[in-house]
C-alpha cells in the first residue's frame, strides 16, 4: 500500500509564492513519474506539471515560467514551487505518483500502482 501526504497549501496574495510537498511511503521499489494536478470549482481536474524518472518535466502552458516541479528521490518527495501566483491558480492541488511496489513474497513480483494524495487547497486572493 502506498500513501501520499501533501502539505504546503494555503492563502496567498496575487504575485506571492507557495511550495507544495508530497511525500510517498510504502513498499515502493520504483517510481516512474510524479505529477501535480489541480481542480477548481466547476472544472475538471487538469494537469499542472509532471516529472519522469529520467528527470524530464512537463508543464501546462498556463504555469510555464511560474511553477517548478522537482523531486528528492532519497525522501520519496515531490515538490511544486509556485511563484507569481494568480487568482486563476486557485484550486485544490493533487499529487499523483506512478510506480511499482513489491508483493513482499518469493519470488518477488512488482505490482504497478497509481496513487493520489488527499489534495490541498491553494487560494490566491487579495
Amino acid at each position: 500500500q502506498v500513501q501520499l501526504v501533501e502539505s504546503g497549501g494555503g492563502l496567498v496574495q496575487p504575485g506571492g509564492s507557495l511550495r507544495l510537498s508530497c511525500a510517498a511511503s510504502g513498499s515502493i521499489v520504483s517510481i516512474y513519474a510524479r505529477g501535480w494536478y489541480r481542480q477548481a470549482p466547476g472544472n475538471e481536474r487538469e494537469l499542472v506539471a509532471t516529472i519522469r524518472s529520467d528527470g524530464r518535466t512537463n508543464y501546462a502552458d498556463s504555469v510555464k515560467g511560474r511553477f517548478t516541479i522537482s523531486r528528492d528521490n532519497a525522501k520519496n518527495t515531490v515538490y511544486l514551487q509556485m511563484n507569481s501566483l494568480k487568482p486563476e491558480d486557485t484550486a485544490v492541488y493533487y499529487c499523483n505518483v506512478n510506480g511499482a511496489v513489491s508483493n513482499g513474497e518469493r519470488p518477488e513480483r512488482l505490482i504497478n500502482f497509481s496513487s493520489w494524495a488527499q489534495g490541498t487547497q491553494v487560494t490566491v486572493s487579495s
Side-chain angles (χ1 to χ4, degrees), residues 16-80:
S17 297
L18 281 176
R19 189 193 195 205
L20 305 183
S21 300
C22 176
S25 62
S27 302
I28 300 172
V29 173
S30 180
I31 292 181
Y32 308 140
R34 302 170 174 93
W36 290 95
Y37 295 75
R38 67 186 181 187
Q39 187 168 16
N43 291 353
E44 294 186 353
R45 190 173 298 188
E46 63 176 4
L47 181 146
V48 176
T50 60
I51 183 166
R52 293 173 24 169
S53 58
D54 60 6
R56 279 193 277 185
T57 57
N58 180 52
Y59 295 92
D61 288 343
S62 59
V63 306
K64 282 181 181 176
R66 300 187 298 121
F67 291 10
T68 302
I69 188 170
S70 62
R71 63 188 179 179
D72 184 332
N73 289 331
K75 296 181 179 179
N76 268 347
T77 299
V78 60
Y79 305 96
L80 184 69

Side-chain angles (χ1 to χ4, degrees), residues 92-113:
V92 177
Y93 283 70
Y94 298 90
C95 165
N96 172 255
V97 176
N98 295 300
V101 294
S102 171
N103 66 343
E105 300 174 356
R106 291 293 181 267
E108 183 182 51
R109 187 167 59 90
L110 297 184
I111 304 170
N112 290 334
F113 72 89

Side-chain angles (χ1 to χ4, degrees), residues 2-25:
V2 175
Q3 292 186 333
L4 304 180
V5 177
E6 284 188 28
S7 61
L11 173 64
V12 64
Q13 292 186 343
S17 297
L18 281 176
R19 189 193 195 205
L20 305 183
S21 300
C22 176
S25 62

